[in-house]
Amino acid sequence: NAGVTQTPKFQVLKTGQSMTLQCAQDMNHEYMSWYRQDPGMGLRLIHYSVGAGITDQGEVPNGYNVSRSTTEDFPLRLLSAAPSQTSVYFCASSSRGLTNEKLFFGSGTQLSVL
Amino acid sequence: AQKITQTQPGMFVQEKEAVTLDCTYDTSDPSYGLFWYKQPSSGEMIFLIYQGSYDQQNATEGRYSLNFQKARKSANLVISASQLGDSAMYFCAMREGRYSSASKIIFGSGTRLSIRP
C-alpha cells in the first residue's frame, strides 16, 4: 500500500535551473496539493487540484507550475530555481469519501538551491 | 479569506501533565473542517484529530481531544497525560467548504511542544 509517493527525496539545484518534483498517489484521491515548509515554520500551500484537469493557486504560487493530467499524478515544476525556494516540499492527497477527509502526506522532498 | 493562527511558538510541559495547544481560525463559510497534525523530528506529518463545523460534540481520539468553541472560532488541542514521545511540532489546519475535493486546506505556523521528564 504505497499511499503518496514523492521523488526525489533530496535535490540540490543551482540558481536558474529548472526541475520537476514528482508526486503520485494510488488511493484514487481527487484532491492533491503541494506545500512548502521552511525551517521552523508551518506549511504553506503552493498549488492544489480538486481533480484531473483542474488546478488552482494556493498561498505562495509564484515560481511554481503544476498540472494534473491524471488522477494519480500531480507534478510540481520549478521554472527557474532561486535560493528563496530552498525548502522541504510535501505533496498531500485526500478524498471526499473519507470519514474525516484528512490529508495523506508524502515523505517530503528536501530541496536546496545554491 | 480563511486564516489559521497559532500564537504559541513553543511550550514546555512536564511529563504526565495535560497540555493545551491553541488554535484560532477565521472563515466566512459556515461549513468547514479543522485538523491537527503532529510532526516529529523525523519530519513526517501524522494526522491526530478532526472536527467538522457541524459536529455537535468535541472530537476525541485516545489521549487527544479537540476543544471546539465555534462562537469564539477556536479549536484547541488537548493532550492528556503527556508523554516524552509527544515532543514534536503541532499544526492546526482548516478546510473551508464541505468537501476536501472542493476546497484548499491551509495550516497554521505551528507550536513546538517539548515534554520534560
Side-chain angles (χ1 to χ4, degrees):
Chain A
N1 198 5
V4 180
T5 303
Q6 286 184 239
T7 55
K9 292 191 183 300
F10 302 94
Q11 183 70 50
V12 179
L13 293 177
K14 293 181 180 178
T15 298
Q17 287 184 317
S18 63
M19 79 157 296
T20 300
L21 306 184
Q22 301 291 345
C23 177
Q25 52 92 8
D26 61 358
M27 298 172 283
N28 202 32
H29 287 173
E30 62 271 19
Y31 180 91
M32 295 186 75
S33 53
W34 278 102
Y35 295 88
R36 61 175 287 176
Q37 184 178 27
D38 299 330
M41 305 276 289
L43 280 75
R44 291 184 292 170
L45 181 65
I46 305 172
H47 287 284
Y48 66 103
S49 169
V50 299
I54 306 170
T55 64
D56 206 348
Q57 295 182 350
E59 303 167 285
V60 289
N62 292 343
Y64 307 95
N65 273 359
V66 292
S67 60
R68 184 97 179 269
S69 57
T70 67
T71 299
E72 294 78 19
D73 300 302
F74 191 44
L76 178 72
R77 297 182 189 85
L78 279 71
L79 308 174
S80 177
S84 61
Q85 293 180 305
T86 294
S87 191
V88 177
Y89 291 82
F90 287 98
C91 179
S93 71
S94 185
S95 172
R96 73 173 71 184
L98 299 172
T99 301
N100 53 32
E101 300 178 44
K102 67 181 183 182
L103 285 170
F104 288 77
F105 281 87
S107 57
T109 296
Q110 189 156 348
L111 175 68
S112 296
V113 182
L114 306 177
Chain B
Q2 61 188 117
K3 187 178 179 181
I4 287 278
T5 303
Q6 294 181 254
T7 57
Q8 305 156 308
M11 288 185 69
F12 287 89
V13 173
Q14 202 67 32
E15 189 180 8
K16 299 181 183 177
E17 289 184 348
V19 56
T20 297
L21 305 181
D22 295 341
C23 174
T24 58
Y25 60 91
D26 190 22
T27 178
S28 57
D29 196 320
S31 181
Y32 51 89
L34 296 157
F35 306 81
W36 277 92
Y37 281 83
K38 172 184 178 181
Q39 187 180 42
S41 57
S42 60
E44 63 186 306
M45 295 292 289
I46 301 169
F47 167 78
L48 296 178
I49 198 165
Y50 168 82
Q51 180 85 41
S53 60
Y54 294 118
D55 293 343
Q56 296 296 315
Q57 294 186 327
N58 287 347
T60 60
E61 291 283 350
R63 293 187 299 114
Y64 304 106
S65 60
L66 199 151
N67 184 4
F68 182 45
Q69 298 188 39
K70 199 169 183 176
R72 297 180 59 186
K73 293 189 175 179
S74 74
N76 298 340
L77 177 70
V78 180
I79 306 174
S80 63
S82 58
Q83 303 171 354
L84 296 178
D86 293 333
S87 294
M89 282 288 287
Y90 288 81
F91 295 102
C92 183
M94 178 175 71
R95 179 203 74 238
E96 280 186 332
R98 186 160 182 80
Y99 297 115
S100 65
S101 60
S103 182
K104 58 189 178 185
I105 300 173
I106 63 168
F107 283 75
S109 56
T111 296
R112 182 171 296 282
L113 177 64
S114 300
I115 308 298
R116 291 194 182 111

